[in-house]
Each structure stands twice: as C-alpha cells, then as structure tokens.
C-alpha cells in the first residue's frame, strides 16, 4: 500500500515560498494596518503588559528528527515529504541527549516529518525512556503501514511512548482533502493496530492522543466538544477508541501559507487570527516551557520559528547549537516572535499540547 500524496513539497517545486525569508516577507507585507496594533505581535503583547515573551522552566524538549515524510499534506508547516532528505544524524542525537541531561525537562517530544523514518528513532526513544522521560511520538498514522514499521505499535507500547496522531477529521472526505486520497482508510487501519496493542483504552502507559486541525480557513472549534463528537464517531463507525483529542490552529507557514496566498485567503486568515487574539493564552504559550531542536542541531523557541528560520536569541552567543547547549544561557533570552504568532493566541489558543485557555 503506497502512502497518500496531496501535493508536492515547495522545495521540490522550487517555489519561492520554500525560502523561510520569503515566507516572513510575505507575512509582513499583508496590509493589516486597520487591525489592532497594526498586527504587530510585540505591540499587542505590550498592550497587555507583556514587555517581551520570556521563558519559564524548561519542561519539554522537542526534537525535530527531520523533514523526511512518507506523506505530503497540503497544510504542512514543515514542507515535509518523501523528497526531503534532511534527517538528524546520530552525533546530533547524542548532543541532544547530553543537553537533555542538563535539564529537568520531563518530556521528550519527537516530531518531523515522520520521526519514525529517522534511522536513529528507536535509539533516541530508548535513551529518553531510560532517562525516565515521558516520550511523545508525533505520528502521522499512515507511516505505521509501511512494511518495516509492522512491529512499531507493539514496540512503542512496550516502552510506554505516548502516540500523538494527526487526523484532521473523523470523516473521510475532510481528512483526505487535506492529506491525500486514501489517508483516512490507512489511518483507520493504523488506529486499529494501536488499539490492538493496548493504546487508547485509558492506560496512562499507552496514551493515544489525536490531533485535529481545521479544514480550510477557520479556527479550531471547542476542544472538549469535539473530543466527545470524535469519540462517538470513531467508535460507532470504526470501533476505534482513543484517550484525548487536542485541537491545533493551522499556522500561516510554509505550504499552508502558500495555500492561503494562492486561494486569495491570506489577508482574511491573518485578520481572523489577529482579531481573535486572546490575552489569556499568553501565559501558556508553548515557546515558554519548550525548546525546539532542528534536524541539524540548531535551537529555536518553537517548531514554527524553526520553519521560519528564526533562531533562538541567546545573549552572548551567535547561532546557538545543541552541541554547545547551556541551560543557564537560555533562561535569560527573549523569545522571537512575528505575525505567525497570532496563530497561537487566536481563540482558545493553540500549541503542540492543543488549546491553551
Ligand atoms: S503534515 Fe505531517 S504527515 Fe503531513 S507532510 Fe507534514 S509532516 Fe508529513
Ligand atoms: S509561534 Fe507560537 S509558540 Fe512559536 S514563538 Fe510564536 S507564540 Fe510562541
């Protein structure tokens, strides 16, 4: 069974927006002077008594294992795909582990691309579990159907890894539209396999979390309500159970940014995000308790900044790299922000852990 394909990567198409700098330029060029604080994220924070966004205690160590993916979804903020060969090497993974040992982070959050396609994925998971960390595998589900991944659900279950699976919708049409024909069917098979090894049945060592993101240009709907709806829908129609649903807004980055621009929806979407700014989300923004490492070992405040090439600003250090990791040096930094940040503060807020407020 081959993996679904919705589009091609920006890089493969040699599209202008494959450049993070072009993406930033486009975001900043949208006419938004009529919105509050001219859609300046820093000014918006200041108006709510936040002189700058600063980190709290580091709790989540997020590692992006690479841009390689078996899929090519329309809304992908990573511009991942089968043509992307950038994956984290073993040396950089060992740097990550040494850095992790300097912190009290309780969670190691593995993302990509499809993190499972990195040849060192299992080594990293084992090492993180050995250190007593809660490990999250951000899984696109269809990857579990690749022949060499057959034993992966049971292996993840044995190590107590939380599997956080993207599934835009519990109905086929909506999911396939965004992620490619056949995604839904393959996702149901993968979820059944996860259920069969004990995931999604209330066992804290076999946590199965689903991630929903809106189709089109709306904000995420109410997370708690959607969870009830999804639990009923998946159980009734497919006999599938899961533990929790989290909702994430689509970020105006990479392929989603291209989609918004080419469909003429970019200005309206940014207006929607800016107008839906909610100050009560600021405190819980994920960049405050997370650090994000790119496949080549560079450090970022979050995965979104990583895709826009907005590197961490560590006082006294240029281009901080995981091999030189110093927790103390990072504590005093200011988090890099831009217009894309309105995607995290809109409505109930949005983060890798779902709604914030
Ligand atoms: S959204 Fe996820 S599954 Fe889809 S192409 Fe991007 S990384 Fe791969
Ligand atoms: S994109 Fe979101 S998580 Fe990243 S720096 Fe901006 S507000 Fe923080």
């Amino acid at each position: 069974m081959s993996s679904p394909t919705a589009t091609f990567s920006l890089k493969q198409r040699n599209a202008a927006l494959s450049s993070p700098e072009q993406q930033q330029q486009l975001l900043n060029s949208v006419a938004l002077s009529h919105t509050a604080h001219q859609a300046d994220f820093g000014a918006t924070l200041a108006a709510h008594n936040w002189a700058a966004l600063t980190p709290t205690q580091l709790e989540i160590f997020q590692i992006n294992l690479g841009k390689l993916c078996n899929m090519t979804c329309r809304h992908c903020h990573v511009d991942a795909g089968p043509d992307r060969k950038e994956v984290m090497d073993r040396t950089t993974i060992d740097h990550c582990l040494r850095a992790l040992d300097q912190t009290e982070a309780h969670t190691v959050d593995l993302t990509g691309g499809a993190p499972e396609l990195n040849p060192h994925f299992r080594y990293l998971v084992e090492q993180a579990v050995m250190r007593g960390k809660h490990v999250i595998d951000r899984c696109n589900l269809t990857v579990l159907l690749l022949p060499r991944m057959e034993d992966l659900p049971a292996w993840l279950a044995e190590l107590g890894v939380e599997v956080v699976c993207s599934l835009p919708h519990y109905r086929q049409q909506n999911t396939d539209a965004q992620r490619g024909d056949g995604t839904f069917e393959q996702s149901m098979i993968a979820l059944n396999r996860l259920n069969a090894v004990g995931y999604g049945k209330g066992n804290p060592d076999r946590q199965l979390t689903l991630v929903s993101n809106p189709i089109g240009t709306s904000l995420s709907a109410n997370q708690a309500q959607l969870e009830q709806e999804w639990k009923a829908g998946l159980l009734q129609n497919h006999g599938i159970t899961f533990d929790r649903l989290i909702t994430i807004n689509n970020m105006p980055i990479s392929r989603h940014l291209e989609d918004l621009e080419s469909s003429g929806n970019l200005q309206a979407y940014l207006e929607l995000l800016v107008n839906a700014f909610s100050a009560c989300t600021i405190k819980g923004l994920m960049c405050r308790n997370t650090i994000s490492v790119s496949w080549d070992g560079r450090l970022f405040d979050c995965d979104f900044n990583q895709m826009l090439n907005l590197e961490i600003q560590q006082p006294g250090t240029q281009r901080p790299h995981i091999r030189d990791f110093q927790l103390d040096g990072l504590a005093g930094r200011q988090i890099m922000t831009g217009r894309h940040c309105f995607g995290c503060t809109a409505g109930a807020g949005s983060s890798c852990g779902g709604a914030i407020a």
Side-chain angles (χ1 to χ4, degrees), residues 53 251 285-287 302 304-305 335-336 340-341 344:
L53 208 50
M251 293 300 276
L285 287 170
M286 67 175 175
C287 45
C302 72
F304 305 126
N305 282 4
I335 292 166
M336 298 289 287
H340 62 290
C341 294
C344 297

Side-chain angles (χ1 to χ4, degrees), residues 83-132:
D83 62 299
R84 301 302 304 263
K85 303 302 178 208
E86 304 94 323
V87 291
M88 187 177 277
D89 62 20
R90 173 67 186 265
T91 306
T92 310
I93 285 176
D94 283 330
H95 288 318
C96 287
L97 290 167
R98 272 198 291 279
L100 182 64
D101 290 340
Q102 285 186 43
T103 78
E104 290 181 12
H106 50 66
T107 296
V108 174
D109 184 339
L110 303 179
T111 187
E116 305 87 350
L117 295 180
N118 183 303
H120 312 294
F121 171 76
R122 294 191 193 211
Y123 165 74
L124 176 54
V125 170
E126 279 168 349
Q127 289 293 319
V129 169
M130 235 169 61
R131 286 162 164 80

Side-chain angles (χ1 to χ4, degrees), residues 18 93 101 126 230 250 281 296 309 311 318:
S18 64
I93 285 176
D101 290 340
E126 279 168 349
W230 282 55
N250 290 317
T281 62
D296 54 358
N309 217 6
E311 293 182 40
Q318 281 201 332

Side-chain angles (χ1 to χ4, degrees), residues 136-206:
I136 292 175
D137 171 25
R138 291 197 181 265
C139 176
N140 68 20
L141 287 172
T142 66
V143 76
L144 297 179
L145 270 58
L146 299 179
R148 64 184 187 278
M149 300 291 168
E150 209 172 322
D151 67 326
L152 193 61
W155 186 84
L156 292 167
E158 206 178 307
L159 273 82
V161 174
E162 179 182 359
V163 185
V164 176
C165 304
S166 30
L167 186 73
H169 204 273
Y170 68 88
R171 292 203 179 96
Q172 174 166 5
Q173 200 182 6
N174 299 3
T175 293
D176 286 359
Q178 191 171 78
R179 297 173 80 83
D181 289 342
T183 301
F184 188 78
E185 193 191 339
Q186 291 193 23
S187 300
M188 293 305 108
I189 298 171
L191 284 171
N192 267 310
R193 288 186 188 174
L194 288 165
N195 276 172
V197 295
Y199 273 104
K201 297 179 185 300
N203 178 345
D205 292 328
R206 306 275 192 282

Side-chain angles (χ1 to χ4, degrees), residues 41 45 53 251 253 282 284-288 290 301-306 308 310 335-345 350-352 356:
F41 193 73
L45 290 180
L53 208 50
M251 293 300 276
I253 296 176
I282 303 172
L285 287 170
M286 67 175 175
C287 45
R288 304 197 67 218
T290 303
D301 297 302
C302 72
D303 202 53
F304 305 126
N305 282 4
Q306 189 183 131
L308 289 173
L310 290 167
I335 292 166
M336 298 289 287
T337 59
R339 275 186 169 172
H340 62 290
C341 294
F342 284 105
C344 297
T345 51
S350 178
S351 73
C352 285
I356 299 171

